Amino acid sequence: MDYKDTLLLPTTDFAMRGNLGEQEPKRYAKWDEEKVYEKMKAKRQKAGASFNIHDGPPYANGHLHIGHALNKILKDIITKTHYFFGDSVRYTPGWDCHGLPIEQQVEVKLGDKKKTMSKSQIRQECRAWASEFVKIQKEEFKSLGVLGDWDEPYLTMKYKFEANIYRTLCEVAKKGLLIERSKPVFWSWAARSALAEAEVEYEDKEDYSLYVAFDLSKEACDKLGVGSAKAVIWTTTPWTLVANQAISLNPNEKYAVTKEGYIIALPLKETLINQGIIKGEIIKEFASIELEGLNAINPLNGRYSKFILGEHVLMDGGTGLVHTAPGHGEDDYFASLKYNIEVIMPVDEAGLYDETLRVKKLLPEELLGEFIGLHIFKANERLLDILGDAVVKVSKFVHSYPFCWRTHKPVIYRATKQWFISMDEPKLNGKTLRQTALEALNQVKFYPEAGIKRISSMIENRPDWCISRQRDWGVPIAFFRDKTTKEVVFDPEILDNIASIFDEKGADAWWDLSIEELLPKGSNLNPANLEKVSDILDVWFDSGSTWNAVLNSGDYDGGGYQADMYLEGSDQHRGWFQSSLLLSCALNQKAPYKSILTHGFTVDGNGNKMSKSKGNVIAPADVAKKYGVEILRLWVGLSDYSSDLKISDEILKQVSEQYRKIRNTIRFLLANVGDLDDIYTNFGMLDKWILNRASKTFKEVSVCFRNYEFSKGFNILLNFLSTDLSGIYLDICKDRLYCDDKDSARRRSAQSAMAIIAKRVFALIAPTLTYSVDEAIEFAPQIIKKDFGDVFDIVYDDLDYEFDIDDNLLLASREKFNEIVDTLKKEKIIKSTLEVMLETSSNEILANDLDEVIDWYMVSFVKSIEDGETLATFEVGNEQFKVVKASHYKCPRCWKYDAKEENCLCPRCSKVLKNV
């Protein structure tokens, strides 16, 4: 007789290999068809708790990279964690659609044709470009298993959305926080536009270190009582010297005239000696105030350069005399403002010297033809030649310098007329926007906690927010200006009328319609006396106001304001988190979010930044095709997102192995409970043990997941699955599952424990491995899926089993026993643990059901210690253990050495077959 046919072997259609790359798209298509996101919302209508993540909009340009995948998957895991834990959830994905990168792509596409097109026609091209990539990226995001309101995503270029962005701007203006002024700002000459602080990145750049001597005027020399002297300034931007208007001194420091006739700050004497600027002999010391209001002479053009005082002058380098060009530096600007010094700007939007050189006589007449139209960065060497003997010392050095994050070209400070949101006007119930924002942050929970220090420091030190741009593709700063007075019209009726027009026609109407058509009927303003402001809004204003358009307007089912969470990369402390915070505080005096979670950047396996040139880029689509999206999602779940996340082919192989363990464990559970018709609760010792362990583990994991500590939670869960569940319990249970009578109490109780555990495992991993759990439920026996039709019916609840089992001795003795068995196998004394019996002095162990204890050690018998032949001995604490050869024969059906005669069945198997 072939006894194999009498065994109750596992059976399931849940495949060992998931064939993920092929099956996942089919499953998502099914979810799409069944509108599972709507089903999720409907299922939790009566939920006590609600949760929404407000989506930080990706840019509608180009295909997704691995950083996009990390961000969207993490949002999806967190949203689903709340859902599977019973909360009502909302997630409305969105896109940033305006801005320079799209406009640049369209410019390349149009070429010379752009010159013949109207602004509205160019904007339509930009809109079409963004629309195309919204479609592409939407499908790429959905392929990652991300669920949300994909039928009604928010797009910043939708007509109503543009109107709401504009309404936010109007509210800021009504609060008195919107100001227009000429001030140096970060300027991208490559993009021909002002930049916000968040649009600037810092890279190493080689620049000049230049010391230049300015002769003192006769009045200044007389004041110091010297025949002649030279003020030595230090600069790294020789091209700005033509626009020099002043030399700043520290009001609290002593200055000196050296034997060489150079004026320096006295605290920098030793530094300047070491650099070879001076030899060290001082002929006169004086207070900086003695030179205030007097002049030096710019060696480039002979113009006066006024001595002024400023706290920004530091003693950490240079000479203590700061070259001051108020059009090219914020400190220079504010210091000059106190002295009513003119702001000169000889550089045009493309970074070229303009006619200001001629008008203001910033260079000699004979040099104007050479310099007007010359790019400033190409002028440095020629200016050094012209300076001649005025150059005291020149060298080059590498330092951190601001670059435009879009064009990747170095930026400049350039004074232009721009719109700003003031940080320090006390317009919000007597408080400034800076104060209000800092106070609001104290009410926000940060993951990780250090995030509050980072963003607070940035808010404390940031300048006014420059929100205007000089481009085509964006929301217009749609204000009228009186042609005569140049005053801006902030009439609420006019602003509301423009917003209503935008609702219907979009922001293109600002260019398409005449002033008369944009004014409300019955307006007493004369269109002929008005002109339109031509600037557009910074895209950070667009995205910073999305909370107002998505959470407050009623146009989207995105959840309530404030959002429960904003979740982006850590770089958004200076970007989206800040712009959103400032606009929300300006309008409502509170943050738009209750919590902020940040993740690190994706890097290769060696920790290097990914780049095409290095060949280390990993595309989400490639991972999905080779490994499956579940592997990418599990990589996110297993990674500590608080720092940079490494990804490589080797790492993905390791994650695949972890997935395989999870999948095989699920498969074993499904395969062995197919004939269970009801949950039995008369558990044996082993069942109680695993249910104890499962209860403790699942509670720990659920707490981790609720706190978004997914890596920690998965490590705990995987350890339980591989060690306690698979490594001990399921391995032990194979004998009773396969060999016991179908309806034996201990088989049914083991199956029941497995079914109970399977349901909780499904609920815990469903947020991350949604595809796999949905597939598992599809093939699950009725005992598991009778409470739900698919994965979206699952709700996690804790296990609360606390049986009185002290497993310390059992675990310690099993571990030592297995060590000895391994040695006996290597020495070829035994092939299996079933060939031995275990004898022990422990009454604690012997007091248990002996069948359970026998299975615990996976031996053929356990009894008290007796005299006789011994294979090995060991101790645990005060208890003695002996490993001895089994005294009975091997059962041909279950292979336990419990048969009375050779080739005969053991008592258990004999009884089972009689009932067949």
Side-chain angles (χ1 to χ4, degrees):
M1 182 179 184
D2 188 349
Y3 290 116
K4 183 180 180 182
D5 295 336
T6 71
L7 300 176
L8 299 170
L9 296 176
T11 177
T12 181
D13 290 328
F14 182 68
M16 183 180 294
R17 294 185 179 278
N19 195 13
L20 300 177
E22 182 180 330
Q23 296 302 320
E24 288 164 342
K26 296 177 183 176
R27 194 163 293 276
Y28 197 96
K30 180 171 174 280
W31 293 350
D32 241 1
E33 185 180 336
E34 295 174 353
K35 296 191 177 299
V36 295
Y37 177 69
E38 295 302 318
K39 175 182 174 180
M40 290 166 68
K41 291 198 295 184
K43 274 194 163 291
R44 301 287 191 267
Q45 279 183 335
K46 297 180 181 178
S50 63
F51 177 82
N52 68 321
I53 289 179
H54 178 48
D55 196 26
Y59 201 68
N61 188 33
H63 290 272
L64 302 186
H65 55 66
I66 201 71
H68 287 123
L70 161 65
N71 180 263
K72 271 294 196 288
I73 289 172
L74 188 54
K75 286 174 182 171
D76 189 60
I77 290 173
I78 288 177
T79 299
K80 285 177 181 170
T81 295
H82 280 272
Y83 175 78
F84 287 117
F85 279 49
D87 297 343
S88 171
V89 296
R90 294 292 185 276
Y91 177 62
T92 299
W95 275 270
D96 242 337
C97 302
H98 298 124
L100 180 62
I102 289 172
E103 192 172 338
Q104 286 178 325
Q105 294 286 353
V106 168
E107 284 177 350
V108 171
K109 174 187 168 186
L110 294 175
D112 290 339
K113 184 181 175 183
K114 182 191 174 188
K115 297 175 184 176
T116 65
M117 297 172 68
S118 69
K119 188 161 285 198
S120 288
Q121 288 173 325
I122 294 168
R123 287 171 61 84
Q124 286 305 318
E125 291 287 335
C126 292
R127 191 178 296 278
W129 183 279
S131 296
E132 181 62 25
F133 275 101
V134 165
K135 290 177 187 175
I136 290 169
Q137 290 186 5
K138 181 194 290 189
E139 293 308 310
E140 290 175 336
F141 280 133
K142 290 168 73 174
S143 74
L144 299 173
V146 178
L147 296 175
D149 197 353
W150 294 112
D151 292 335
E152 286 295 332
Y154 77 82
L155 310 179
T156 58
M157 67 180 180
K158 283 183 178 178
Y159 290 174
K160 278 193 170 184
F161 211 102
E162 289 181 329
N164 280 321
I165 293 170
Y166 176 68
R167 287 189 176 97
T168 303
L169 173 67
C170 294
E171 289 301 312
V172 173
K174 290 173 186 176
K175 295 283 187 180
L177 294 171
L178 190 63
I179 54 177
E180 186 185 23
R181 65 167 180 256
S182 182
K183 176 180 176 290
V185 293
F186 283 122
W187 184 270
S188 173
W189 50 267
R192 302 191 179 199
S193 181
L195 299 179
E197 191 178 21
E199 294 174 302
V200 173
E201 296 176 337
Y202 285 83
E203 300 178 20
D204 285 345
K205 180 177 182 287
E206 185 180 64
D207 271 321
Y208 283 97
S209 172
L210 178 65
Y211 292 85
V212 182
F214 283 46
D215 285 330
L216 264 63
S217 67
K218 183 177 185 304
E219 293 81 5
C221 289
D222 290 346
K223 183 66 180 286
L224 294 181
V226 295
S228 66
K230 297 174 186 288
V232 181
I233 62 94
W234 176 73
T235 183
T236 61
T237 55
W239 61 268
T240 64
L241 287 171
V242 297
N244 174 275
Q245 288 284 79
I247 295 174
S248 298
L249 311 177
N250 187 300
N252 307 309
E253 297 291 347
K254 283 280 189 181
Y255 284 77
V257 182
T258 70
K259 188 175 182 181
E260 296 88 350
Y262 293 155
I263 295 174
I264 62 159
L266 199 55
L268 290 166
K269 173 185 169 185
E270 294 302 321
T271 301
L272 293 170
I273 291 172
N274 292 335
Q275 291 189 31
I277 306 294
I278 61 173
K279 292 182 179 176
E281 188 175 341
I282 303 296
I283 61 173
K284 181 179 178 65
E285 295 182 12
F286 62 94
S288 57
I289 196 171
E290 291 191 43
L291 282 179
E292 185 181 18
L294 298 173
N295 297 297
I297 301 168
N298 188 332
L300 278 176
N301 51 33
R303 289 169 54 92
Y304 274 155
S305 181
K306 182 177 288 188
F307 286 107
I308 63 176
L309 305 182
E311 298 285 350
H312 68 288
V313 180
L314 305 177
M315 298 295 121
D316 57 355
T319 63
L321 290 83
V322 174
H323 151 55
T324 301
H328 290 300
E330 192 165 29
D331 287 336
D332 296 21
Y333 171 80
F334 284 115
S336 299
L337 201 61
K338 298 175 185 176
Y339 292 87
N340 201 27
I341 293 173
E342 181 185 9
V343 176
I344 292 177
M345 178 42 57
V347 180
D348 71 10
E349 62 181 13
L352 311 178
Y353 284 123
D354 63 17
E355 285 290 331
T356 308
L357 293 181
R358 188 188 311 278
V359 173
K360 294 294 182 180
K361 296 183 169 56
L362 303 184
L363 281 174
E365 183 74 28
E366 65 271 16
L367 296 176
L368 294 177
E370 178 184 352
F371 277 85
I372 293 174
L374 180 67
H375 196 283
I376 52 174
F377 289 162
K378 294 181 179 178
N380 287 329
E381 288 79 5
R382 184 72 178 98
L383 289 170
L384 291 177
D385 291 340
I386 297 166
L387 284 167
D389 293 341
V391 175
V392 178
K393 183 180 179 181
V394 62
S395 60
K396 285 190 174 183
F397 75 118
V398 175
H399 65 147
S400 181
Y401 190 87
F403 277 68
C404 172
W405 79 326
R406 296 296 192 193
T407 64
H408 304 291
K409 301 291 186 182
V411 303
I412 60 174
Y413 261 110
R414 178 172 179 263
T416 57
K417 205 162 191 179
Q418 302 289 344
W419 291 90
F420 296 86
I421 293 177
S422 172
M423 294 298 297
D424 297 309
E425 292 286 335
K427 300 288 187 179
L428 303 173
N429 299 322
K431 294 180 179 178
T432 68
L433 181 55
R434 194 185 308 278
Q435 290 170 322
T436 305
L438 289 170
E439 288 176 9
L441 287 174
N442 290 325
Q443 307 303 315
V444 177
K445 185 169 180 59
F446 283 82
Y447 304 92
E449 292 179 358
I452 189 171
K453 293 181 181 177
R454 187 174 184 198
I455 191 170
S456 294
S457 174
M458 291 174 175
I459 294 291
E460 285 171 357
N461 298 301
R462 68 159 295 140
D464 292 341
W465 179 8
C466 178
I467 62 167
S468 50
R469 298 292 180 270
Q470 293 68 48
R471 301 295 300 184
D472 293 335
W473 181 225
V475 175
I477 299 178
F479 299 140
F480 295 122
R481 194 191 304 276
D482 187 290
K483 286 182 179 178
T484 306
T485 65
K486 299 301 179 182
E487 291 294 315
V488 176
V489 178
F490 287 125
D491 184 327
E493 185 184 3
I494 293 174
L495 301 182
D496 291 344
N497 189 64
I498 293 170
S500 297
I501 292 172
F502 286 2
D503 275 328
E504 184 181 344
K505 300 175 184 279
D508 292 352
W510 186 245
W511 292 275
D512 292 343
L513 302 183
S514 67
I515 293 176
E516 186 175 9
E517 290 171 311
L518 289 164
L519 288 172
K521 290 181 180 179
S523 171
N524 58 3
L525 293 177
N526 182 355
N529 292 337
L530 301 177
E531 61 187 13
K532 296 177 183 178
V533 170
S534 60
D535 296 334
I536 63 168
L537 282 168
D538 167 20
V539 288
W540 288 106
F541 191 102
D542 283 23
S543 59
S545 64
T546 54
W547 57 267
N548 203 15
V550 176
L551 307 181
N552 271 348
S553 69
D555 295 334
Y556 300 90
D557 187 14
Y561 169 85
Q562 306 157 296
D564 289 292
M565 178 176 285
Y566 274 35
L567 188 168
E568 301 300 327
S570 55
D571 58 327
Q572 294 306 319
H573 285 115
R574 70 186 182 98
W576 190 55
F577 298 151
Q578 254 196 77
S579 61
S580 301
L581 174 71
L582 295 179
L583 292 178
S584 182
C585 285
L587 271 60
N588 301 320
Q589 289 79 63
K590 61 181 179 181
Y593 34 70
K594 296 175 185 175
S595 68
I596 280 180
L597 186 147
T598 54
H599 58 75
F601 298 103
T602 51
V603 295
D604 70 13
N606 296 317
N608 298 318
K609 185 178 178 181
M610 292 187 187
S611 69
K612 290 181 180 178
S613 61
K614 291 181 181 177
N616 63 348
V617 173
I618 293 181
D622 294 340
V623 177
K625 186 177 180 181
K626 183 174 181 179
Y627 295 99
V629 166
E630 292 288 69
I631 304 306
L632 197 56
R633 293 178 66 91
L634 186 57
W635 166 73
V636 174
L638 289 171
S639 300
D640 178 6
Y641 58 76
S642 64
S643 57
D644 288 348
L645 289 80
K646 292 182 178 181
I647 187 168
S648 65
D649 204 51
E650 188 59 37
I651 289 169
L652 289 169
K653 286 177 183 176
Q654 294 169 11
V655 175
S656 297
E657 181 61 23
Q658 297 282 42
Y659 174 80
R660 188 188 64 79
K661 291 177 182 177
I662 294 170
R663 188 177 181 92
N664 284 348
T665 301
I666 290 172
R667 188 170 186 272
F668 187 94
L669 293 172
L670 298 182
N672 283 283
V673 298
D675 59 11
L676 182 66
D677 54 10
D678 200 3
I679 298 296
Y680 289 65
T681 56
N682 186 23
F683 298 114
M685 180 194 78
L686 292 177
D687 308 320
K688 291 177 181 178
W689 175 78
I690 196 61
L691 288 171
N692 272 0
R693 304 288 278 201
S695 296
K696 179 176 179 293
T697 298
F698 294 165
K699 284 175 185 175
E700 288 180 4
V701 173
S702 68
V703 169
C704 289
F705 285 178
R706 285 181 186 274
N707 290 326
Y708 316 124
E709 296 176 325
F710 299 107
S711 176
K712 181 180 177 182
F714 264 111
N715 282 328
I716 295 170
L717 182 61
L718 286 168
N719 184 61
F720 167 78
L721 294 179
S722 62
T723 304
D724 294 339
L725 186 62
S726 297
I728 298 178
Y729 181 73
L730 297 183
D731 200 28
I732 287 171
C733 285
K734 287 175 184 176
D735 176 72
R736 64 187 63 184
L737 290 170
Y738 304 165
C739 302
D740 271 16
D741 184 75
K742 177 181 176 182
D743 293 318
S744 75
R746 69 179 201 154
R747 183 173 185 271
R748 289 307 192 197
S749 68
Q751 288 179 303
S752 298
M754 291 163 62
I756 290 167
I757 287 169
K759 287 184 179 182
R760 271 40 176 224
V761 170
F762 285 173
L764 286 172
I765 67 173
T768 305
L769 301 177
T770 321
Y771 283 131
S772 298
V773 175
D774 196 36
E775 181 191 355
I777 289 171
E778 184 179 322
F779 294 109
Q782 192 60 31
I783 191 66
I784 287 180
K785 69 177 180 182
K786 65 181 179 179
D787 298 325
F788 33 75
D790 60 31
V791 64
F792 303 106
D793 293 328
I794 292 176
V795 182
Y796 175 79
D797 61 302
D798 280 330
L799 284 179
D800 286 315
Y801 291 105
E802 292 186 25
F803 297 109
D804 185 19
I805 294 177
D806 184 353
D807 60 3
N808 291 326
L809 181 58
L810 285 167
L811 286 168
S813 59
R814 190 176 192 273
E815 183 178 356
K816 285 205 170 184
F817 172 72
N818 285 337
E819 289 174 3
I820 286 171
V821 164
D822 285 343
T823 302
L824 293 174
K825 286 178 179 179
K826 286 176 184 176
E827 294 173 354
K828 302 190 183 304
I829 295 173
I830 62 171
K831 294 181 180 179
S832 163
T833 56
L834 294 175
E835 296 177 34
V836 302
M837 297 188 299
L838 186 65
E839 298 178 358
T840 179
S841 65
S842 171
N843 292 324
E844 178 186 330
I845 290 177
L846 295 171
N848 290 292
D849 182 330
L850 276 187
D851 284 339
E852 296 283 283
V853 176
I854 288 168
D855 282 354
W856 177 256
Y857 297 103
M858 298 177 72
V859 295
S860 287
F861 206 77
V862 174
K863 61 181 181 178
S864 297
I865 288 182
E866 298 177 358
D867 293 333
E869 185 180 350
T870 301
L871 295 176
T873 62
F874 63 93
E875 296 180 2
V876 178
N878 296 323
E879 304 298 347
Q880 307 294 317
F881 292 84
K882 285 176 61 178
V883 180
V884 301
K885 273 277 192 180
S887 57
H888 290 170
Y889 297 95
K890 181 180 181 180
C891 172
R893 181 171 181 269
C894 70
W895 297 359
K896 280 188 176 181
Y897 282 69
D898 196 26
K900 295 288 192 285
E901 297 177 13
E902 195 167 357
N903 297 322
C904 289
L905 296 174
C906 67
R908 186 265 306 263
C909 289
S910 180
K911 182 179 177 182
V912 169
L913 291 189
K914 281 181 183 178
N915 296 330
V916 172

